[in-house]
Amino acid sequence: MNKAIADHNRAAGMGNAGIAALLSAIFMGLGQMYNRQWTKGIIFLVAELVSLYLIVTSLAYNLWGLVTLGEQPAHMEKIGRLYRNVPGDHSIFMMIYGLVALLYIGLLVCFYIANIKDAYRIGKRRERREKVNSFRETWRLLGNQGFPYVLLTLPAIGVLVFTILPIIFMVLMAFTNYSAPDHIPPKSLVDWVGLRTFTNLVTLEAWSHTFVGVFTWTIIWAVVATVTTYFGGILVALLIEQRGIKFKGFWRTLFILPYAIPQFISLLVMRNLLNYQFGPVNQYLRMMGFGGVPWLNDPFWAKVTVILVNMWIGIPVSMILVLGVLTAIPRDLYEAAEVDGATGFQKFRNITMPFVLFQTAPILIMQFAGNINNFNVIFLLTNGLPANGDYAYAGSTDLLVTWLYKLTLDNQRYNFASAIGIIIFIIIAAFSLYNYRRSRSFKEEDMIQ
Amino acid sequence: MSRKRNWGILSSILIMMLLVSACGGPSGTGAGQTADPAAGAGEEMQEMKPEDGAKLTVWDSGDQKAFIEEAAKAFKEKYNVDVTFAELGPDKSMVQMVTDGPAGVGADVFAGVHDQIGQGVSAGVLMPNDWFEEDTRGRNSELAVKALTYENILYGYPKSVETTAVFYNKDLIKEVPQDWKGVVDFANTFNDTKANKFAIMWEVGNGYYVFPFLGGYGAYLFGKEGTDATDIGMNNEQAVEGAKFIQSLNKILPLKTSDINADIKKSLFTSNKLAMNISGPWDTGSLKESVKNLGVGMYPNLPNGKPMTPFSGVKAYFVNAYTKYPNASKMFADFITSEEWQVKNFEMNGALPANTKAAASETVQSDPIASVFLKQFENSVPMPSIPATAQFWSPMEAAMSSIWNDNKDPKAALDNMVKQMKSNIQTGQ
């Protein structure tokens, strides 16, 4: 019987499914109504009507704003004795509203497609003479099995509006000329300039020179800072764990202290301790008959200083990590080694080190990524100084991230800052991704061969 | 399977509904719409009245709180308008206003320094001083009014002036020498680097304190008027001569630029190790407390016989262009910068009046420190207020570090600095 009807429909060229899908494609909800799912159909219909209303009243204008970034800047008008501020288009706000509109329309398209599919599916069920859910049944399903989805919508919206949207917005800034002094809205308009910011970063002598210099130092800093703190931590941990050492608890506490003091305090104090003329460090050196060291004044020495101070802060962290790993190494391995007559160094090389490395390698990579963005140490200790006459807005010890800070907060060069931000993101993302892949492969690997 | 589909659809409905309610499109003014010019100001106004229900917020630094609250009380009695104080110092207010003003969350009236006017005007956040313009011009020092004028429009309501001069400790030196030769002679008898004793100190790397030397020789920052960003005279012959002279002073102040900062300078001065300390009226209060016999003198003359030309700053109240109550804001800015209140601010906080009558008043003139600063203000150069000024400080610091710390050729350092400034000014366009 069913089969006969279905055949008949196919002969007519279009079954319920086709008609429903077509109707839904014409206007959301029509297909659902055709399938006699009235409530659902009405909800869809209203959703489309509301969307159309929004598109006509504001969304279309917002999209226009996103494309043009405004045409009419704000200006002052004098009427009689008084000036009035005539508001105009604020390019940056238009960009944000335009993005919201784009997001909404994107969702609408997904929803539209889902609505056509839904009409087609229900149509197919009707052709097969299966029962079609009433609205109440659908609603109950949503309350039971669908409950997690309902709960997830709220965080999903949060992520969309508070994470994805701002990120897109910040990335887009790199493709505009949003920078002081000539392109700060609402007095002036901001325009799309394509890749000009990036090409400027590479071709303009002052910028490219600064970028190369700061980038090189950032990488050197990240490598050296990570290696020194990591191996320093291992060394200290091994020393504490030596069998002959007494008062282990005391030593541990002592070495954790630098980490316990907030960096804000310790680094600003260090800055004063290391003053060339008046700092206690140089005063003691002079008393001992050495000359003072220009800790923070000379470009080379300033770099050495930040690395030394960073060791003082960072070694405790790796020390704690390694102490944890050391306790997990089975004692009998060492005993077996001793029976074979291994020296202390051989034990360290063949048992301790592989264990520690294996356990902490992922953390090592993350520390490296973190050091690329180590804002605190540089900003609080040297603030990027000593000044460098060849750099644009950066000093000799500035990292990319502190340079970015100076560009946005001190000089309002948002477009350059955004371009640099994108570059930093690519570097960090590459490391994180690599790290993630490695840790996966680690999990599937057997223990040390 | 089919059931799942339904939830997907329904949850996306929910998302859309919530999106709509959360960020319904803005009430965008249509493209190309211009405001109706006849709105509100059609007829010529006879007198200024605050808007009904006006409420004002004022930004200023924390030390001004008591002063502003007192003025606000008097203002409320007179016009029945509430004024609240919020702390945001004049050093940061303009940058904040550039973002907050257009967003509609900025203060109605805020304190700022005149050299940021260019930044504010190019962002369109400053309301010109229109209704009270004649009054403001009539009662304030000409230099102050000129400093607050940008492209022939007056923007601020002058509140106080400041410049730098030479504080000295009368127990260590009788008076500030007439010229630098005298300073060097005194230094040769007084200095003791081992014990950290120095004759004179200023922030060598800071352009604010470098300019008085170079300007005295004939260098200029942006054209003769401080308005032409393309004409930078910081590496002309006179500037190089000035830089050479500064370099020669390293003998009497053998420290690195980064070792001299305001705190260290102050602590040496208050512990009787420093005889002369170049600084501004903002330090008067704290120095008076800790130095028994404090004096202040004019800058010594340069070896070429010319006086030095310190930068001066004019602090003013500005009206936010986006305020809901422009009339009330202008009235308050005018009210709090009147003669009476400038004298009051001098009494309370030692702010040097920009108002000519207030500056000539007995209270101010009888104060040995304030009167010297006011005299020095008349022989000062207002900091340029064009946006390009922001590009001066860090290249200048870099140049001084190579001239002073590394004893490099001043000409090369200044040439490089000007090149850097020009490139920074250009990439902003």
Side-chain angles (χ1 to χ4, degrees):
Chain A
M1 181 71 200
N2 280 353
K3 199 168 170 301
I5 289 173
D7 285 348
H8 163 78
N9 278 343
R10 215 165 291 130
M14 214 184 231
N16 287 345
I19 294 169
L22 187 70
L23 282 169
S24 268
I26 292 167
F27 206 97
M28 268 195 325
L30 288 184
Q32 280 74 6
M33 290 183 187
Y34 169 80
N35 287 335
R36 298 195 179 71
Q37 291 185 306
W38 298 110
T39 322
K40 192 155 127 192
I42 285 166
I43 290 177
F44 282 20
L45 196 87
V46 170
E48 165 135 13
L49 283 173
V50 168
S51 302
L52 280 176
Y53 170 78
L54 281 175
I55 286 170
V56 172
T57 51
S58 63
L59 293 184
Y61 169 74
N62 289 343
L63 284 179
W64 171 87
L66 181 64
V67 174
T68 59
L69 293 184
E71 285 176 349
Q72 185 77 27
H75 61 283
M76 288 279 173
E77 245 171 37
K78 193 165 186 177
I79 299 149
R81 248 177 91 174
L82 291 179
Y83 281 91
R84 277 179 67 255
N85 186 25
V86 181
D89 295 335
H90 193 303
S91 303
I92 295 303
F93 291 173
M94 291 180 102
M95 194 150 125
I96 297 171
Y97 286 133
L99 283 176
V100 172
L102 203 64
L103 205 72
Y104 182 87
I105 286 170
L107 278 175
L108 184 68
V109 168
C110 295
F111 189 60
Y112 216 109
I113 291 166
N115 130 70
I116 296 170
K117 276 188 176 163
D118 171 78
Y120 183 80
R121 232 166 12 87
I122 306 280
K124 272 271 180 256
R125 293 181 72 164
R126 285 180 62 200
E127 286 171 25
R128 292 199 298 270
R129 286 283 185 274
E130 286 169 27
K131 186 178 160 301
V132 174
N133 275 349
S134 73
F135 184 70
R136 194 166 300 163
E137 282 161 337
T138 313
W139 190 250
R140 202 173 306 130
L141 277 176
L142 193 70
N144 297 335
Q145 292 103 315
F147 191 62
Y149 288 95
V150 180
L151 275 192
L152 276 175
T153 46
L154 217 58
I157 292 168
V159 168
L160 268 181
V161 174
F162 295 110
T163 312
I164 295 176
L165 198 79
I167 287 176
I168 298 175
F169 168 65
M170 282 185 254
V171 168
L172 286 183
M173 256 192 234
F175 303 96
T176 66
N177 57 8
Y178 183 26
S179 73
D182 295 343
H183 298 289
I184 296 289
K187 173 79 184 285
S188 328
L189 294 170
V190 172
D191 291 310
W192 295 110
V193 294
L195 291 170
R196 202 178 74 193
T197 314
F198 291 91
T199 51
N200 277 353
L201 209 51
V202 178
T203 54
L204 286 182
E205 194 212 342
W207 286 97
S208 62
H209 179 77
T210 314
F211 181 72
V212 170
V214 173
F215 180 78
T216 317
W217 159 237
T218 304
I219 298 297
I220 293 172
W221 149 263
V223 171
V224 177
T226 312
V227 168
T228 49
T229 52
Y230 183 71
F231 286 104
I234 291 179
L235 189 74
V236 173
L238 285 173
L239 284 174
I240 291 176
E241 285 299 307
Q242 283 299 316
R243 267 197 220 144
I245 300 281
K246 291 197 170 58
F247 314 121
K248 283 191 168 48
F250 163 75
W251 291 116
R252 250 178 246 146
T253 320
L254 186 75
F255 284 117
I256 287 180
L257 273 182
Y259 185 55
I261 306 168
Q263 289 187 6
F264 251 93
I265 298 168
S266 56
L267 289 171
L268 291 173
V269 169
M270 285 261 181
R271 198 177 186 160
N272 287 334
L273 291 179
L274 294 167
N275 184 301
Y276 178 75
Q277 177 69 20
F278 308 101
V281 176
N282 275 356
Q283 305 247 9
Y284 286 125
L285 283 175
R286 288 198 189 98
M287 267 162 52
M288 289 184 243
F290 301 105
V293 176
W295 296 112
L296 302 169
N297 306 339
D298 175 80
F300 171 76
W301 274 105
K303 288 174 181 172
V304 172
T305 307
V306 286
I307 283 167
L308 287 176
V309 172
N310 183 62
M311 279 172 76
W312 183 79
I313 291 171
I315 282 178
V317 187
S318 2
M319 178 194 81
I320 298 169
L321 274 174
V322 176
L323 280 175
V325 174
L326 287 180
T327 52
I329 301 177
R331 278 262 150 260
D332 49 359
L333 283 178
Y334 290 109
E335 280 158 17
E338 270 162 35
V339 169
D340 288 345
T343 60
F345 180 71
Q346 278 173 324
K347 277 190 286 184
F348 169 75
R349 239 206 70 190
N350 297 319
I351 302 170
T352 319
M353 209 56 216
F355 248 98
V356 173
L357 269 180
F358 173 77
Q359 296 273 19
T360 54
I363 292 157
L364 183 68
I365 294 164
M366 277 334 279
Q367 273 189 345
F368 178 78
N371 270 332
I372 288 179
N373 268 344
N374 199 331
F375 183 86
N376 282 6
V377 174
I378 302 292
F379 185 78
L380 296 172
L381 189 65
T382 65
N383 194 10
L385 298 173
N388 186 326
D390 303 337
Y391 280 1
Y393 308 108
S396 300
T397 53
D398 265 320
L399 302 177
L400 283 172
V401 71
T402 53
W403 185 31
L404 202 146
Y405 174 91
K406 287 179 179 178
L407 284 175
T408 39
L409 281 116
D410 302 345
N411 301 295
Q412 300 171 329
R413 299 291 171 104
Y414 300 105
N415 54 347
F416 279 108
S418 168
I420 292 159
I422 291 171
I423 292 164
I424 295 179
F425 171 77
I426 291 170
I427 299 168
I428 304 267
F431 277 112
S432 309
L433 212 64
Y434 174 74
N435 188 30
Y436 176 73
R437 301 278 302 266
R438 266 188 61 125
S439 55
R440 283 278 307 274
S441 61
F442 262 158
K443 278 178 196 150
E444 287 148 16
E445 229 175 352
D446 273 341
M447 271 297 286
I448 306 166
Q449 308 304 318
Chain B
M1 201 54 228
S2 65
R3 285 172 185 173
K4 253 194 185 151
R5 277 282 160 70
N6 271 345
W7 308 324
I9 288 178
L10 277 158
S11 44
S12 51
I13 285 195
L14 269 176
I15 290 196
M16 280 177 52
M17 294 292 171
L18 281 163
L19 258 184
V20 171
S21 58
C23 18
S27 51
T29 46
Q33 250 186 28
T34 44
D36 174 21
E43 72 284 357
E44 190 62 38
M45 288 196 336
Q46 290 311 311
E47 61 165 335
M48 196 69 155
K49 272 207 213 59
E51 294 85 350
D52 292 335
K55 277 210 266 307
L56 303 180
T57 312
V58 179
W59 283 348
D60 206 334
S61 50
D63 57 337
Q64 295 279 302
K65 186 172 184 212
F67 164 69
I68 286 176
E69 281 175 352
E70 202 163 316
K73 217 160 76 190
F75 189 70
K76 173 145 174 86
E77 272 167 27
K78 204 168 167 185
Y79 298 108
N80 197 23
V81 173
D82 280 312
V83 181
T84 31
F85 167 87
E87 186 176 338
L88 185 70
D91 51 333
K92 297 189 185 70
S93 59
M94 195 66 80
V95 175
Q96 190 73 22
M97 190 49 82
V98 167
T99 48
D100 283 7
V105 291
D108 304 280
V109 179
F110 65 103
V113 187
H114 81 272
D115 60 311
Q116 309 153 335
I117 288 183
Q119 205 183 352
V121 172
S122 58
V125 295
L126 297 185
M127 177 73 84
N129 177 348
D130 44 24
W131 184 264
F132 296 105
E133 186 179 2
E134 292 309 312
D135 297 358
T136 306
R137 283 183 194 286
R139 66 186 190 206
N140 287 296
S141 125
E142 209 176 316
L143 208 54
V145 172
K146 204 175 125 191
L148 294 172
T149 305
Y150 190 79
E151 289 170 353
N152 299 324
I153 297 176
L154 178 64
Y155 281 95
Y157 302 74
K159 159 186 170 159
S160 63
V161 298
E162 53 192 31
T163 184
T164 49
V166 189
F167 284 104
Y168 64 101
N169 186 336
K170 289 178 183 169
D171 299 340
L172 302 176
I173 185 168
K174 278 203 297 294
E175 59 179 359
V176 177
Q178 285 293 314
D179 54 27
W180 276 94
K181 190 179 170 305
V183 176
V184 174
D185 290 345
F186 170 74
N188 290 337
T189 62
F190 182 84
N191 273 17
D192 181 355
T193 312
K194 273 233 160 44
N196 284 330
K197 283 178 74 174
F198 301 101
I200 189 162
M201 203 178 277
W202 67 99
E203 288 174 51
V204 179
N206 185 339
Y208 194 72
Y209 296 92
V210 176
F211 187 83
F213 291 93
L214 304 186
Y217 271 90
Y220 53 89
L221 196 44
F222 297 117
K224 295 289 178 209
E225 289 289 312
T227 51
D228 182 2
T230 57
D231 180 12
I232 302 177
M234 291 306 287
N235 60 341
N236 57 19
E237 267 171 58
Q238 295 94 318
V240 174
E241 205 183 331
K244 278 189 181 136
F245 169 62
I246 297 181
Q247 203 168 35
S248 74
L249 292 176
N250 188 264
K251 279 202 277 311
I252 62 162
L253 185 57
L255 299 178
K256 301 281 181 228
T257 52
S258 47
D259 288 335
I260 307 172
N261 60 38
D263 294 340
I264 281 179
K265 198 159 55 90
K266 192 182 269 185
S267 75
L268 287 175
F269 190 63
T270 51
S271 56
N272 289 341
K273 287 185 168 176
L274 176 63
M276 288 176 274
N277 170 13
I278 298 181
S279 188
W282 51 87
D283 270 345
T284 304
S286 58
L287 292 181
K288 259 187 189 161
E289 278 166 29
S290 40
V291 177
K292 262 208 309 289
N293 290 314
L294 179 73
V296 71
M298 306 269 282
Y299 272 103
N301 284 341
L302 293 164
N304 64 358
K306 297 242 171 61
M308 287 170 71
T309 55
F311 268 144
S312 53
V314 177
K315 277 200 178 121
Y317 284 109
F318 296 104
V319 173
N320 171 6
Y322 289 83
T323 171
K324 288 201 201 66
Y325 313 110
N327 293 359
S329 303
K330 287 171 191 171
M331 288 170 77
F332 181 72
D334 180 68
F335 176 85
I336 198 172
T337 54
S338 63
E339 181 191 344
E340 173 198 352
W341 287 102
Q342 288 204 15
V343 172
K344 187 97 195 162
N345 198 6
F346 173 74
E347 285 165 0
M348 287 173 83
N349 307 309
L352 301 175
N355 181 302
T356 40
K357 277 193 192 141
S361 70
E362 187 53 38
T363 331
V364 177
Q365 284 304 325
S366 62
D367 182 317
I369 289 179
S371 54
V372 172
F373 271 119
L374 281 168
K375 214 159 96 190
Q376 184 73 65
F377 175 73
E378 294 305 322
N379 298 307
S380 68
V381 177
M383 267 183 289
S385 54
I386 55 175
T389 312
Q391 312 309 332
F392 166 65
W393 313 107
S394 75
M396 184 79 240
E397 190 174 359
M400 278 321 291
S401 103
S402 88
I403 291 169
W404 183 269
N405 298 346
D406 314 337
N407 217 353
K408 294 263 169 61
D409 171 35
K411 183 161 173 41
L414 291 178
D415 284 348
N416 187 32
M417 161 182 128
V418 171
K419 195 181 95 192
Q420 189 70 48
M421 279 171 71
K422 283 188 166 149
S423 122
N424 287 357
I425 290 166
Q426 244 157 23
T427 50
Q429 268 141 32

